[in-house]
Amino acid sequence: MPVIRRNIVPLRYSDPSVVAYVRSPSDWMVSNCGWIRGREGVLLVDTCGTERDTLDLVSDVRKYSTVEMPLTLVLTHAHGTHHNGAGVALRNGGRILAAPSAVPIIRSGPQCNEEIFACANWGKLEAPRPEAVHAVIEPVEVDLGGVVVEVVPFPGTAHTDGDLVLFEPRTGTLFTGDLLSVGSTPFAVHGSIPGWLTALDWLDKMFPDVRTFVPGHGGLSHPGSFPVAVLRTYLHWLLDATAGAGTPDFAELATIARRRWPTWTVPERHIGNLLRAHADQHGEQLASAEAMRAIRDAAGGKIDLDALLGLGKP
């Protein structure tokens, strides 16, 4: 049974206080978070998939701030790994910022994906108050008191159709959500491969002064380690592998992907990504339920989150 670790990485201690909350090993329902504190408020980047993990996160946030500080929660996109704990995090008040297309999903509450996951230990996950969830239509600056954070939505479909990023300019820290994954197989079923490639170009142009990437999954990275280039290479391979006429052998291509990227976690995602790439460039609609079933089958059946995350008995 694995032990999921949470590593609190202060990127700057004060004025501003910028912290990456890196959870590892990267797997299903294991994603990174973070927070930025100013003199008058604290901004939390994403939550966790279960109540317990989100409560642990909020507890750690409050150790670095004060209970009275207003909380702004920014959700990088609407996947349960990142937004399930939104209602938990806002039990004592606060507001949520998200891309417009993510707002109705977040308001509808947590995603447990019971056709994919077996889990008896989600805890008490509730939807946030609808009026607390606000759409970020264009770039905005969030003033936390002496600390200004840029919240920028991507104008298109990439990892999902509602991705946004956060940039703290004084430290050069970019929280990318799942637009970047480091050492973890990306997940493209609900997005667009060509759109994701466009988003990577957008990241390069919009944020030339990045010093630290906080990806949605995996370890912290720096421009010199070429995290964007690595992901770009993979996305191009997906398109190249599925470019021919007819229906390819997706299972065989997924096996090739496992060999090419042998150290990446959650390799069962490859087959879903290949289905996504094929649909994107052949003008077809991809049934996300079908792609998720293919991922489930590649994993050997329903993914047991209780065992995977070491959740124990309810």
Side-chain angles (χ1 to χ4, degrees), residues 83-275:
H83 83 83
N84 272 5
V88 176
L90 264 64
R91 282 175 179 169
N92 294 319
R95 62 171 178 159
I96 296 172
L97 303 180
S101 61
V103 167
I105 302 172
I106 294 164
R107 285 176 174 166
S108 68
Q111 298 170 318
C112 296
N113 303 105
E114 294 180 353
E115 72 281 7
I116 304 299
F117 301 119
C119 183
N121 290 278
W122 293 107
K124 183 183 177 183
L125 292 171
E126 65 264 30
R129 294 176 292 104
E131 65 274 15
V133 188
H134 305 275
V136 179
I137 299 172
E138 56 187 19
V140 299
E141 293 183 344
V142 178
D143 190 344
L144 301 172
V147 178
V148 176
V149 182
E150 300 171 12
V151 179
V152 187
F154 172 65
T157 299
H159 168 63
T160 70
D161 63 352
D163 299 299
L164 56 74
V165 300
L166 298 90
F167 185 59
E168 198 295 298
R170 290 171 63 182
T171 60
T173 303
L174 183 66
F175 291 87
T176 68
D178 283 4
L179 289 181
L180 276 184
S181 290
V182 176
S184 175
T185 305
F187 180 59
V189 166
H190 300 120
S192 162
I193 303 297
W196 203 334
L197 285 165
T198 299
L200 295 182
D201 293 338
W202 174 80
L203 285 178
D204 282 340
K205 293 175 183 177
M206 285 288 293
F207 306 101
D209 300 323
V210 173
R211 295 199 291 275
T212 302
F213 292 101
V214 183
H217 301 267
L220 303 186
S221 188
H222 305 281
S225 62
F226 306 108
V228 174
V230 171
L231 180 53
R232 186 180 283 118
T233 297
Y234 174 69
L235 296 177
H236 275 301
W237 177 84
L238 291 172
L239 293 176
D240 291 343
T242 58
T247 302
D249 186 335
F250 291 109
E252 176 59 27
L253 289 175
T255 299
I256 294 171
R258 287 174 181 254
R259 292 171 183 162
R260 289 194 61 166
W261 291 277
T263 63
W264 282 6
T265 59
V266 285
E268 59 268 24
R269 291 177 179 169
H270 288 305
I271 195 164
N273 295 340
L274 288 158
L275 289 165

Side-chain angles (χ1 to χ4, degrees), residues 48-106:
C48 303
T50 68
E51 180 192 30
R52 188 178 78 181
D53 286 342
T54 300
L55 289 174
D56 287 342
L57 166 66
V58 172
S59 175
D60 287 332
V61 170
R62 290 311 187 187
K63 291 176 185 176
Y64 282 76
S65 58
T66 63
V67 175
E68 294 78 16
M69 274 189 167
L71 179 67
T72 296
L73 169 59
V74 178
L75 296 171
T76 58
H77 62 287
H79 276 158
T81 311
H82 299 262
H83 83 83
N84 272 5
V88 176
L90 264 64
R91 282 175 179 169
N92 294 319
R95 62 171 178 159
I96 296 172
L97 303 180
S101 61
V103 167
I105 302 172
I106 294 164

